[in-house]
Amino acid sequence: MAAADQAPPAPRAGLGLILLALVAAQVGLHGCLNGMRLAVPLLAAAEGRGAAVVGALMAMFAVLPFLIAIPAGRLTDRRGYHLPARLAAVLACAGALLAALSPTPWALGAAAALAGAGSAIGMIALQRTVGRLAGSGTERLRFFSWVALAPSVATFVAAVLAGTLIDQLGYRAAFAGLAVLPLLTLAASAAVPSLATQPVMPAVHATGPGKPGIAWDLLRSADLRRLFFINWLIAACWDAHAFALPLLGHERGLSASAIGAVLASYAVMSAAVRLIIPALAERLQTRALVAGALTLTAIVFLLYPLLHSAWAMAACAGALGLGLGAIQPAVMANLHAVAPADRQGEALGLRSTVIHFSTLVMPLCFGGLGAAVGVLPVFWLTGLALAAGAWQARQLHGTDQTSPGPR
């Protein structure tokens, strides 16, 4: 048995501080990633690199996460939180420092891959740990709503830090500044006590020890198949919105600032709903929440092409933020409820693989579709796919576990 398996569970009285430390640790990793995602394409564009080079550099952020997510999940199952978190911090810091020392296209590509890997490993470790801290399904939903704020906070921190340093001191200084953020991860993770890898709550369908080695056999569970499909839909929805909204806004004659305001309304409402869910968690059923949120997002995508004003698009983007912001914590709570107890990290790794594969492939598909028939079918096809996801969400069984499991 691994050393992490022998550690005592975290004290219930200190859960608030533990969650805060976990969020701070992920802010360091995600902030470094988002700052790199801002600075790398800006530097490439400033040097006159073509769109193909910029696209390849952006794809590098997803390459390593796609390849290593499942091994990272297995590592987290075996060793608990701390070793993966430290490895993630080292990778992210190394990526930012590499970009600061040698901002050439090849070095920037390697730096992007390292930063992406660090953020992905850290997120898997965070999600597995948070799922095991919960004492009930309600608490699980509440916890995942809190930690889902980490990407929003990190995005704000990264944008301010990277943008200011680029304008005032240049790109090398910006990359060096971003390399400091993973040090926050190392400091914050030290405040997380050693946690038992045996869950506080048992998985709903866990009937005994799993057989790690072939991650895809997790798909034998119908509920896990549905959850992975829903996760893919969420990722594809993000990609479709990021790809199609600027093009639609341009077709409608909106200014860049107006399009930016539409995107900002999405971010604000996404963060807002994640602040509201913890207060309502005891009244919510995760299956109904996922199905309702997917239905809302499907309606939004079907309506988008009919709109012409910035205000109407901002309202739709806000509704989309509400839907997608609510889905993520609920899906994570469901995933921990149905995954085998000793393979939750592996299940999270498989989920991450699906998401990063979507990030690699879907923008190319949307680009080809948009070039062939225009941007409007991208919205409509995404809306129909989301409607199918809402139907799948209603088929989930046994995922609204609200009573505490055995200690």
Side-chain angles (χ1 to χ4, degrees), residues 39-406:
V40 166
L42 283 179
L43 175 57
E47 293 180 343
R49 309 290 179 183
V53 173
V54 174
L57 288 173
M58 295 305 290
M60 290 301 296
F61 285 103
V63 169
L64 278 184
F66 170 68
L67 295 174
I68 69 171
I70 292 174
R74 291 173 180 160
L75 175 65
T76 307
D77 281 331
R78 294 194 307 269
R79 300 298 298 270
Y81 173 75
H82 287 89
L83 177 62
R86 291 165 186 155
L87 175 61
V90 169
L91 289 173
C93 186
L97 287 177
L98 176 61
L101 294 172
S102 177
T104 64
W106 290 104
L108 290 176
L114 290 172
S119 180
I121 293 172
M123 184 60 79
I124 291 170
L126 164 77
Q127 291 167 342
R128 179 184 178 277
T129 302
V130 169
R132 289 168 179 263
L133 285 173
S136 69
T138 297
E139 197 171 55
R140 204 176 253 158
L141 177 60
R142 183 181 293 117
F143 287 0
F144 276 114
S145 297
W146 286 121
V147 301
L149 290 170
S152 299
V153 175
T155 299
F156 176 80
V157 170
V160 173
L161 177 63
T164 301
L165 288 176
I166 290 171
D167 288 339
Q168 300 298 322
L169 300 174
Y171 286 96
R172 288 180 182 268
F175 290 125
L178 293 171
V180 175
L181 291 179
L183 300 182
L184 171 64
T185 301
L186 294 176
S189 63
V192 179
S194 297
L195 305 172
T197 59
Q198 292 299 320
V200 175
M201 283 179 59
V204 173
H205 300 312
T207 57
K211 297 179 180 179
I214 304 176
W216 299 101
D217 66 8
L218 290 167
L219 297 180
R220 294 175 183 173
S221 165
D223 278 339
L224 278 177
R225 287 199 303 271
R226 293 186 179 103
L227 286 171
F228 287 137
F229 172 65
I230 291 169
N231 257 280
W232 171 76
L233 277 180
I234 297 170
C237 182
W238 287 332
D239 292 332
H241 193 246
F243 166 81
L245 179 62
L247 297 179
L248 181 65
H250 180 73
E251 286 184 4
R252 299 292 191 258
L254 301 183
S255 66
S257 59
I259 295 173
V262 172
L263 292 171
S265 68
Y266 166 86
V268 169
M269 296 307 294
S270 177
V273 74
R274 288 169 178 175
L275 288 172
I276 294 171
I277 285 178
L280 302 177
E282 293 183 359
R283 303 187 187 122
L284 296 174
Q285 289 189 332
T286 53
R287 177 174 56 182
L289 180 60
V290 172
L294 284 170
T295 301
L296 174 62
T297 55
I299 294 171
V300 168
F301 268 86
L302 293 174
L303 287 177
Y304 246 129
L306 306 178
L307 306 177
H308 289 79
S309 75
W311 287 107
M313 289 186 185
C316 264
L320 187 65
L322 283 175
L324 293 183
I327 287 174
Q328 188 69 8
V331 167
M332 295 309 304
N334 277 327
L335 183 64
H336 279 79
V338 302
D342 57 346
R343 301 184 67 185
Q344 288 176 338
E346 193 173 6
L348 289 167
L350 183 56
R351 168 189 172 272
S352 183
T353 299
V354 171
I355 290 174
H356 286 99
F357 177 77
S358 176
T359 301
L360 280 170
V361 173
M362 293 312 294
L364 299 176
C365 296
F366 293 140
L369 180 63
V373 294
V375 70
L376 300 188
V378 173
F379 282 101
W380 289 327
L381 289 176
T382 304
L384 292 175
L386 288 165
W391 179 77
Q392 285 294 312
R394 294 187 181 94
Q395 311 306 310
L396 291 169
H397 299 293
T399 57
D400 287 311
Q401 182 178 342
T402 57
S403 60

